[in-house]
Amino acid sequence: WIAEDYLRDHPGGVIVGGKEVVYPDGSGFVAAEVDTMSIGQCGSNQFCTWSSANYNGSFTYVTGSGVTRTMGWATKSVWNNRTNSARLYNSAGKSSTCYAPGAKQASIGSGYQTPAKVFLSSGASC
């Protein structure tokens, strides 16, 4: 996907640097070919997801504290690169799993591969 295609399908953001789509709620998407992104793309204070296992594929992130962010994109690996916990909700939005500060998961379960939302806690525990 290129940034323009993603923005057309997910309106409301702006393209930054030709490849990144940034939204007012603190979420973002970085357009890239599969296997071009890596765990090093995840900045401080970001909850990061990749569309492929092992931190590869399209890269998306959300930021904030004490807020819930809507998701719904392909997610097969995650890193909570934050000082606070994050709770990822499955596609139905009913079950969740907690990621402690700094927690990484190179391959997530199928029920969470299109997560409905993530709660970005303002505290270190879930």
Side-chain angles (χ1 to χ4, degrees):
W1 282 6
I2 58 173
E4 291 84 4
D5 292 337
Y6 188 84
L7 187 58
R8 184 186 63 241
D9 294 340
H10 304 89
V14 295
I15 296 174
V16 177
K19 289 188 174 186
E20 184 173 9
V21 179
V22 178
Y23 293 89
D25 71 355
S27 62
F29 171 82
V30 179
E33 297 297 319
V34 173
D35 297 331
T36 60
M37 301 310 265
S38 71
I39 199 158
Q41 297 295 325
C42 187
S44 179
N45 200 35
Q46 293 179 340
F47 181 85
C48 302
T49 68
W50 290 263
S51 62
S52 299
N54 299 312
Y55 316 104
N56 288 303
S58 295
F59 169 72
T60 309
Y61 65 88
V62 293
T63 62
S65 184
V67 295
T68 300
R69 302 285 190 217
T70 302
M71 294 179 72
W73 51 80
T75 300
K76 294 192 179 170
S77 50
V78 301
W79 181 16
N80 182 24
N81 192 16
R82 304 172 61 245
T83 57
N84 297 318
S85 65
R87 185 166 288 282
L88 186 66
Y89 288 81
N90 69 357
S91 58
K94 298 185 187 233
S95 295
S96 65
T97 187
C98 178
Y99 290 91
K104 300 174 189 168
Q105 191 168 3
S107 180
I108 65 173
S110 61
Y112 291 90
Q113 290 183 1
T114 309
K117 59 188 174 183
V118 62
F119 173 70
L120 302 174
S121 176
S122 57
S125 63
C126 291

